[in-house]
Amino acid sequence: MSGKSTLVKNLCLEDLQFEANLEQLIYVHSQEDVNTKAIREKWGKKVKFLNEIPLDLPEQMIPGKSVVVLDDVEETLIHDKERTKMLKAMANIYIHHYQLIMILCLQSYDLFYKRHPLNGLLQQATKLILFRGFITFATLNRWIINMGLNLKH
């Protein structure tokens, strides 16, 4: 398997890049696969797998010791104002004041648009992993051009 979930798995398995002695990984995902099984083996009792984002997620985090992974939950979030509001507060406040790490794993580049409900998370995310496809790459490219950015290859 290769792709964004494999990259997230590799980040979680090689936790040296987190520069912290982590005690907790909260992984929100839609289905169990070989990647989540490998993470479960590595993290053991320190990992909590969830099928949806709990509204009390910030309270579940251990300050300075937690990583939260949101894998393929974009469609759910854009229709759930309460969870979107909570994640925005988490990104704007908790990540900085409690030294938390948030990894977003999304299916589209839509959050690059200012009107997207999750746009505020873009600027605050610790890690941002986007699946590259022709159509989504064209969307990102238009956004980069509209913003006047010049990326070097």
Side-chain angles (χ1 to χ4, degrees), residues 18-35:
F18 294 133
E19 298 178 5
N21 186 15
L22 300 173
E23 295 179 12
Q24 179 186 50
L25 170 64
I26 297 177
Y27 199 108
V28 182
H29 65 104
S30 57
Q31 65 184 25
E32 189 83 15
D33 61 16
V34 296
N35 294 313

Side-chain angles (χ1 to χ4, degrees), residues 12 23-29 32 36 39-54 56-62 66-71:
C12 293
E23 295 179 12
Q24 179 186 50
L25 170 64
I26 297 177
Y27 199 108
V28 182
H29 65 104
E32 189 83 15
T36 54
I39 292 169
R40 188 183 306 278
E41 288 176 15
K42 159 79 176 176
W43 285 75
K45 293 181 180 181
K46 293 181 180 182
V47 66
K48 186 186 301 186
F49 287 101
L50 305 171
N51 292 8
E52 65 178 26
I53 301 169
D56 67 341
L57 181 61
E59 291 79 25
Q60 292 186 34
M61 308 293 281
I62 302 168
S66 293
V67 176
V68 62
V69 176
L70 305 176
D71 190 359

Side-chain angles (χ1 to χ4, degrees), residues 9-21:
K9 174 198 74 171
N10 291 338
L11 287 170
C12 293
L13 294 181
E14 186 60 46
D15 58 3
L16 295 175
Q17 77 278 353
F18 294 133
E19 298 178 5
N21 186 15

